[in-house]
């Protein structure tokens, strides 16, 4: 008898949706395709020789433990090294006991969803926001209240208005999700005063903040702004970061800093998910930090990505239509483009792919859709001359679209 699998899937499984970014990664396999789509680090930023040295040392010093199961919390020397680094670089006062090592930052988001979101619960998120977070939280059947940005900051008036409206109907959001530095997707960074205000409001209305910070180390210029977590005295902020952008995403290593109650609960959830994070990866990362390699490598990565950002910005200025606008990120990996209203970048994507250039349409980063006239460009992955060529190609696609399909002021429906 043929098994009717669909009938057996859980409600949660039926609600799972494909990530447009992960789908787009397939397009990058097409020969000669220039992809500004996926948020991929540049392979030349991977410290290959250093990784080799670290592994050689592990083979000599402690290979049996590196190949063994480990504790769910993570390797003690790695957590101690992270606590030290978080204090020194990020002004977050913590010890190794406040840190849980996770299978990438993505798992930290998934554990947050598992531990805090029941079906029908509400969370807040600034928009546009990281697609993987929308996916993780959406899997738990939660409702997202989208809070717009005003320039670089989360719109405090809108946040307060939303909170008042929710309270009148008896809804208490569980948390606010934000990527505070060099956001994925917009490249913007939330100001110091906005960070403090968010924490005050979280305390007033009694919700948590999930501060996702994979890009904070990749600062090219401007002042370092301490994370929201550094002002948190009450255990209200769950801070999430990752080795993906400062070592290599293939290691699948991230970490969470949170209060003891939260870490304890996440440990239980993680036991059910994967027992422990990849132990061999943790040994390599530990050697990478304690051998003094990480700081030097971060300097190299920043130099490389700043150059790529500048090439992309110069090319945008040279080739893009005059009425296109874009952000100028002080770090990270992304530039956000706003095209004239009436352009549908979802529809335009097929034409761009036909001309062998890919991007992510902006609407993917809004849980409620819309914003069809925006796109996200990644500048870290492509070679320098490919960035120039790709932006030139994309500019031609946009100019064609403006002369053929542009419907000034058109409102597009979801799904087109
Ligand atoms: N959060 C944000 C904002 C990201 O951009 C990413 C990856 N691009 C992640 C989390 C997931 O990172 P990881 O590779 O550590 O799972
Ligand atoms: O899904 C991935 O491969 C990570 C990249 C995320 C992004 O492009 O935002």
């Amino acid at each position: 008898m043929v098994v009717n699998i669909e009938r057996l899937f859980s409600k949660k499984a039926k609600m799972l949706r494909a990530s447009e970014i992960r789908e787009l990664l397939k397009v990058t396999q097409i020969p000669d395709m220039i992809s500004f789509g996926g948020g991929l680090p540049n392979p030349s930023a991977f410290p290959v020789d250093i990784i080799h040295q670290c592994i050689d040392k592990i083979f000599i010093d402690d290979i049996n433990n590196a190949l063994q199961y480990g504790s769910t919390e993570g390797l003690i020397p790695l957590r101690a090294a992270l606590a030290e680094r978080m204090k020194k670089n990020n002004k977050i006062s913590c010890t190794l006991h406040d840190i849980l090592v996770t299978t990438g930052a993505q798992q930290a988001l998934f554990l947050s969803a598992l531990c805090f979101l029941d079906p029908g619960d509400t969370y807040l998120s600034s928009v546009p926001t990281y697609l993987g977070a929308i996916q993780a939280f959406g899997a738990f059947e939660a409702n997202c209240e989208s809070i717009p940005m005003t320039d670089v900051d989360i719109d405090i008036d809108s946040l307060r208005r939303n909170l008042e409206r929710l309270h009148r109907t008896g809804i208490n959001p569980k948390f606010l999700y934000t990527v505070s530095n060099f956001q994925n997707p917009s490249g913007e960074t939330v100001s110091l005063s906005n960070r403090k205000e968010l924490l005050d409001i979280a305390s007033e209305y009694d919700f948590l903040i999930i501060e996702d910070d994979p890009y904070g180390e990749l600062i090219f210029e401007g002042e370092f702004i301490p994370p929201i977590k550094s002002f948190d005295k009450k255990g209200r902020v769950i801070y999430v970061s990752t080795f993906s952008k400062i070592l290599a995403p293939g290691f699948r290593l991230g970490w969470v800093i949170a209060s003891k109650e939260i870490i304890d609960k996440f440990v239980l959830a993680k036991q059910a998910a994967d027992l422990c994070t990849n132990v061999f990866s943790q040994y390599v990362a530990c050697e990478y930090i304690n051998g003094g390699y990480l700081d030097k490598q971060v300097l190299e990565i920043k130099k490389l990505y700043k150059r790529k950002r500048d090439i992309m910005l110069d090319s945008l200025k040279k080739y893009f239509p005059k009425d296109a606008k874009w952000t100028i990120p002080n770090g990270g990996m992304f530039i956000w483009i706003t095209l004239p209203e009436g352009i549908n970048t979802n529809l335009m994507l097929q034409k761009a792919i036909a001309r062998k250039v890919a991007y992510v349409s902006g609407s993917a980063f809004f849980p409620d859709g819309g914003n069809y006239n925006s796109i996200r460009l990644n500048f870290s992955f492509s070679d320098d001359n490919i960035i120039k060529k790709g932006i030139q190609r994309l500019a031609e696609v946009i100019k064609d679209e403006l002369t053929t399909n542009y419907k000034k002021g058109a409102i597009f429906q979801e799904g087109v």
Side-chain angles (χ1 to χ4, degrees), residues 39-40 102-109 129-133 177 179 183-185 212-215 240-245 249 252-255 333-334 376:
L40 305 184
T102 53
T103 302
Q106 189 64 33
Q107 185 180 51
L109 301 180
T129 194
Y130 171 51
L131 187 52
Y177 171 76
V179 182
Q183 295 185 355
N184 179 0
D212 189 4
D213 188 22
Y215 305 102
V240 176
S241 194
T242 178
F243 281 99
S244 287
K245 315 290 153 47
R252 305 309 303 128
L253 273 185
W255 67 93
M333 302 190 347
F334 304 106
R376 186 195 76 175

Side-chain angles (χ1 to χ4, degrees), residues 29-271:
Q29 313 301 321
I30 300 172
D32 302 327
M33 178 64 67
I34 297 179
S35 178
F36 301 129
L40 305 184
N42 196 292
S44 70
F46 299 152
V48 177
D49 293 339
I50 296 170
I51 292 170
H52 211 141
Q53 286 174 41
C54 293
I55 291 176
D56 282 348
K57 189 157 188 305
I58 294 162
F59 267 83
I60 293 165
D61 290 351
D62 209 3
I63 188 61
N64 285 347
N65 283 324
L67 296 177
Q68 191 53 276
Y69 284 115
S71 75
T72 306
E73 288 81 352
L75 200 67
I76 287 180
L78 175 61
R79 286 156 65 215
L82 283 171
E84 198 50 45
R85 192 175 173 81
M86 288 291 102
K87 262 188 282 181
K88 189 169 69 122
N89 288 8
N90 282 19
K91 297 193 163 61
I92 297 176
S93 88
C94 62
T95 72
L96 69 97
H97 303 291
D98 307 308
I99 297 184
L100 166 68
V101 180
T102 53
T103 302
Q106 189 64 33
Q107 185 180 51
L109 301 180
F110 194 80
L111 296 179
S112 304
L114 179 69
C115 293
F116 289 108
L117 296 176
D118 286 315
D121 272 355
T122 295
Y123 71 94
L124 308 156
S125 178
S126 56
V127 289
T129 194
Y130 171 51
L131 187 52
I134 301 176
Q135 253 195 325
F137 304 150
F140 289 85
E141 302 167 64
N143 303 318
C144 178
E145 281 290 331
S146 301
I147 312 295
M149 305 291 289
T150 53
D151 196 10
V152 299
D153 282 339
I154 296 179
D155 185 339
I156 294 292
D157 289 343
S158 167
L159 175 60
R160 283 197 174 280
R161 269 198 311 277
N162 274 286
L163 284 165
E164 281 308 315
R165 179 177 51 75
L166 290 169
H167 264 242
R168 279 197 298 275
T169 51
I171 295 171
N172 300 311
K174 291 285 182 70
F175 58 76
L176 170 87
Y177 171 76
T178 183
V179 182
S180 41
N181 291 310
F182 319 122
Q183 295 185 355
N184 179 0
S186 72
E188 302 284 25
T189 291
V190 174
S191 73
L192 179 64
S193 58
N194 199 241
R195 291 175 194 217
K196 290 184 172 169
E197 246 175 319
L198 291 175
L199 188 56
D200 288 345
I201 295 175
S203 169
E204 189 182 328
Y205 285 87
D206 198 16
F207 57 82
L208 300 174
I209 294 179
I210 299 180
E211 182 176 30
D212 189 4
D213 188 22
Y215 305 102
E217 294 247 18
L218 305 183
I219 174 169
F220 312 150
E221 58 218 9
E223 254 179 72
F224 160 79
I225 305 177
I228 307 172
K229 181 70 185 162
S230 67
F231 309 111
D232 174 28
K233 303 281 176 275
K234 303 268 166 63
R236 196 169 282 287
V237 180
I238 300 172
Y239 178 87
V240 176
S241 194
T242 178
F243 281 99
S244 287
K245 315 290 153 47
I246 54 173
L247 173 57
F251 279 92
R252 305 309 303 128
L253 273 185
W255 67 93
V256 180
I257 307 176
S259 68
K260 181 173 171 5
E261 294 108 297
I262 294 176
I263 293 289
D264 287 351
K265 193 59 87 179
F266 280 15
V267 165
L268 297 183
K270 188 172 162 61
Q271 283 173 5

